[in-house]
Amino acid sequence: MERVELAGALRENLPLKSQVEAASGVTLSDCYQCGKCSAGCPVAFAMDYTPRQVIRLLQLGLGEEALKSHTPWLCASCQACYTRCPREVNLPRLMEAVRQEARRRGMINEKKVVIFDQAFLSSVERYGRAHEMGLMVQYNLQSGQPFKDALLAPPLLLKGKISPIPAKIKNVAEVKNIFARARAKGGGQH
Amino acid sequence: MKYAYYPGCSLEATAKEYNQSAKIVARHLGVELWEIPDWSCCGATAAHNNDHLLSLALPARNLALAEAEGLDVAVPCAACFNRLRAAEAAVRESESMRATISEIIGRDYRATNRTRAFLDVMVNEVGLEKIKEQVVKPLAGLKLAAYYGCLLVRPPELTAFDDPEDPMTMDRLVLALGGEAVSWSYKTECCGGSLATARTDIGVRMIFQILRHARDAGAEGIVTACPLCFLNLDMRQGQAAASQGEQFNLPIFYFTELMGIALGYAPKALGLTSHFVNPIPLLEAREILRHPATRRETA
Ligand code: SF4
Ligand code: SF4
Ligand code: SF4
């Protein structure tokens, strides 16, 4: 972390801080930094900042640093931290709010996570259901790793567990409408 | 006992054995499943990550279809269960959210019906006593680790049918089926979910830890209630083990498959032949597939 002048950073970053609070419904000052969330986080080993540290950065007004972190992108949304937090800080929602703000600013730290989500949603919008085979192919191509998990595909096909043909629902127009109307409403905040 | 049945996308593809076995055991135990006609995807984590309204509206469409029929919904997929419950709670708690969601899905939805995990329906509605009475091939001598993962029991205000830290529903079911449930500390640890696809390097380490702790606790197999947990532990088991220079041979089961076996159905009918880690040798070694009367040991 580069050196920062705290008082100035505090003033400058106030909008980001309150923005993330509003989007997530989390009051940052609720967290008293006990570290219980990070102790139980199953992805902590792969994170640059632990979940507790992400909150600390935001509390200190160092939101930029939190936006640059990979942590919000790696959060598996497993709810362990939220379930255990003595202050009921909804960390998974906070992580999402940080992630959405980062994305809004074009700071996508884990492109593969985003590509996967987008591939999933476009499948649902098109067919009304998730098409696992198409999803794998689209994800692999767009993430530039065409042969990823290639060894797993043939046995899956053989066991009839994935199909090259998507299962399309009859009333796919209704699902398309749900996407359109949710979009028109701006998706709502998290 | 009649429920609207929401299988979810996985149960038509990678988790087809979960679908097959769930339907078989439901029929056996007198639970009628009315599959929601033309059901659509719940949006899973992807919608949840990207768009709050979408993540509530997609499951709500299915709930509305069931509500119109006056039925509670039984959901085998833990991830779907979690998303359906979230939509139900949001609509129940806020009149304005109810109006917004109804508008988006173009259907009236008032959340008068309830979403239940299929596991919850089996253990708490059908009941362990009734299941026990029907067991003809007890899982005698089989040591299993009940693995709940995250979304089935967390966050507790959404899931609310078992303890979020030390759930016991599946453990009690294993006992009722005549098996043994090992005590272990990873029963609710997250398997990484879709992270295993997007960041396989991270996912396989999480999967490895779960497998290792189950084995070290003395389990010979793992029982799950989620298609994604199952896929990660079964299909990626070889990858996960190899990444740490180890080898496991831990069959993974859906709880419905184990119920089916104990109720006397053939492994093939239940879909046990399409697993990556073949579970049949273990069942044979414990002589579970033979009629108890012809077994060497007494159950
Ligand atoms: S567990 Fe809660 S209070 Fe403790 S550090 Fe984490 S968020 Fe803060
Ligand atoms: S929800 Fe995210 S931050 Fe919280 S414990 Fe799970 S992975 Fe870690
Ligand atoms: S969690 Fe998965 S499989 Fe289940 S409906 Fe939702 S997307 Fe489809």
Side-chain angles (χ1 to χ4, degrees):
Chain A
M1 200 195 297
E2 61 203 73
R3 278 179 66 119
V4 266
E5 198 258 300
L6 270 184
L10 263 175
R11 261 195 315 279
E12 265 169 46
N13 282 299
L14 214 86
L16 174 62
K17 199 170 148 184
S18 31
Q19 193 181 330
V20 174
E21 283 194 321
S24 64
V26 167
T27 307
L28 289 167
S29 59
D30 277 353
C31 166
Y32 54 24
Q33 293 288 306
C34 67
K36 206 175 174 192
C37 50
S38 309
C41 174
V43 202
F45 71 89
M47 291 169 166
D48 46 3
Y49 287 110
T50 64
R52 178 193 65 77
Q53 287 173 321
V54 170
I55 297 209
R56 193 65 175 143
L57 288 170
L58 289 162
Q59 284 177 334
L60 288 173
L62 303 175
E64 291 281 338
E65 204 63 37
L67 290 177
K68 280 188 224 154
S69 164
H70 287 252
T71 299
W73 300 91
L74 296 180
C75 166
S77 206
C78 77
Q79 314 285 334
C81 51
Y82 177 39
T83 302
R84 293 172 187 166
C85 172
R87 304 282 296 154
E88 291 179 38
V89 173
N90 194 333
L91 253 160
R93 275 187 80 168
L94 184 72
M95 292 294 179
E96 257 165 49
V98 174
R99 179 151 72 185
Q100 278 167 3
E101 179 54 25
R103 187 201 308 248
R104 213 175 56 79
R105 299 185 187 198
M107 299 160 75
I108 296 174
N109 284 335
E110 290 287 338
K111 288 211 171 52
K112 289 173 187 166
V113 174
V114 176
I115 292 171
F116 182 79
D117 282 356
Q118 292 310 331
F120 190 98
L121 287 179
S122 67
S123 167
V124 177
E125 187 168 6
R126 195 170 326 149
Y127 308 115
R129 293 195 188 153
H131 176 226
E132 292 178 319
M133 171 96 182
L135 199 56
M136 251 162 117
V137 173
Q138 191 185 349
Y139 168 73
N140 284 359
L141 290 177
Q142 292 184 354
S143 60
Q145 38 188 358
F147 302 114
K148 181 173 182 296
D149 292 334
L151 288 174
L152 297 175
L156 280 173
L157 274 167
L158 216 65
K159 292 174 200 284
K161 287 190 160 192
I162 50 174
S163 158
I165 305 145
K168 193 171 181 174
I169 69 166
K170 287 191 212 90
N171 207 343
V172 84
E174 192 179 336
V175 173
K176 284 201 165 100
N177 274 331
I178 292 178
F179 273 85
R181 293 195 200 110
R183 237 178 242 132
K185 289 193 181 290
Q189 295 262 299
H190 249 280
Chain B
M1 213 181 290
K2 184 175 176 182
Y3 286 89
Y5 183 64
Y6 179 76
C9 312
S10 298
L11 271 81
E12 299 245 300
T14 50
K16 61 172 188 163
E17 58 270 62
Y18 195 9
N19 206 8
Q20 255 166 274
S21 52
K23 285 178 177 171
I24 288 177
V25 299
R27 193 183 336 110
H28 189 100
L29 294 164
V31 178
E32 193 185 331
L33 298 178
W34 175 78
E35 185 161 328
I36 297 173
D38 215 34
W39 55 268
S40 47
C41 177
C42 72
T45 322
H48 183 47
N49 279 348
N50 287 279
D51 186 325
H52 189 54
L53 281 179
L54 187 65
S55 78
L56 299 175
L58 285 173
R61 172 180 178 265
N62 300 294
L63 292 171
L65 290 168
E67 184 177 46
E69 209 66 25
L71 292 172
D72 285 347
V73 188
V75 189
C77 167
C80 302
F81 164 65
N82 197 286
R83 297 323 307 154
L84 265 62
R85 263 284 165 93
E88 182 190 314
V91 166
R92 191 166 289 144
E93 279 157 23
S94 149
E95 174 54 33
S96 72
M97 189 52 99
R98 188 199 67 72
T100 309
I101 297 289
S102 294
E103 190 193 328
I104 294 179
I105 63 176
R107 290 174 185 274
D108 191 33
Y109 172 52
R110 306 185 159 269
T112 53
N113 54 347
R114 285 231 162 242
T115 308
R116 306 278 301 264
F118 194 73
L119 174 68
D120 178 24
V121 170
M122 285 294 132
V123 172
N124 298 318
E125 290 303 321
V126 173
L128 293 175
E129 278 313 309
K130 173 155 184 196
I131 295 172
K132 219 167 169 174
E133 280 165 20
Q134 303 281 323
V135 170
V136 292
K137 291 189 174 164
L139 309 180
L142 198 60
K143 291 196 187 67
L144 296 159
Y147 175 64
Y148 299 78
C150 43
L151 295 176
L152 190 62
V153 290
R154 289 196 301 252
E157 71 266 25
L158 278 188
T159 56
F161 74 95
D162 206 339
D163 189 296
E165 297 286 12
D166 190 15
M168 288 300 289
T169 311
M170 249 191 303
D171 296 68
R172 288 190 287 126
L173 177 64
V174 166
L175 290 182
L177 300 176
E180 288 173 44
V182 304
S183 164
W184 66 315
S185 53
Y186 268 61
K187 51 164 69 165
T188 63
E189 195 79 355
C190 171
C191 71
S194 57
L195 213 54
T197 310
R199 284 293 306 269
T200 308
D201 54 328
I202 298 173
V204 295
R205 275 189 61 178
M206 298 167 75
I207 295 164
F208 175 81
Q209 292 299 344
I210 294 162
L211 294 167
R212 182 171 72 95
H213 279 83
R215 181 199 58 193
D216 291 356
E220 302 162 301
I222 299 180
V223 48
T224 66
C226 169
L228 209 54
C229 299
F230 182 97
L231 200 63
N232 275 343
L233 296 178
D234 181 46
M235 183 181 82
R236 293 195 188 274
Q237 186 171 132
Q239 236 179 336
S243 74
Q244 306 290 320
E246 285 232 33
Q247 228 186 333
F248 296 117
N249 186 22
L250 277 176
I252 314 298
F253 300 94
Y254 289 108
F255 71 93
T256 46
E257 292 177 329
L258 290 177
M259 286 176 77
I261 291 288
L263 296 176
Y265 290 89
K268 195 163 189 324
L270 298 162
L272 267 85
T273 40
S274 56
H275 294 193
F276 275 72
V277 181
N278 184 0
I280 312 288
L282 172 63
L283 297 175
E284 275 171 352
R286 297 286 165 276
E287 301 196 329
I288 286 162
L289 299 174
R290 288 168 62 177
H291 192 276
T294 66
R295 278 195 215 158
R296 260 178 272 120
E297 93 282 9
T298 38

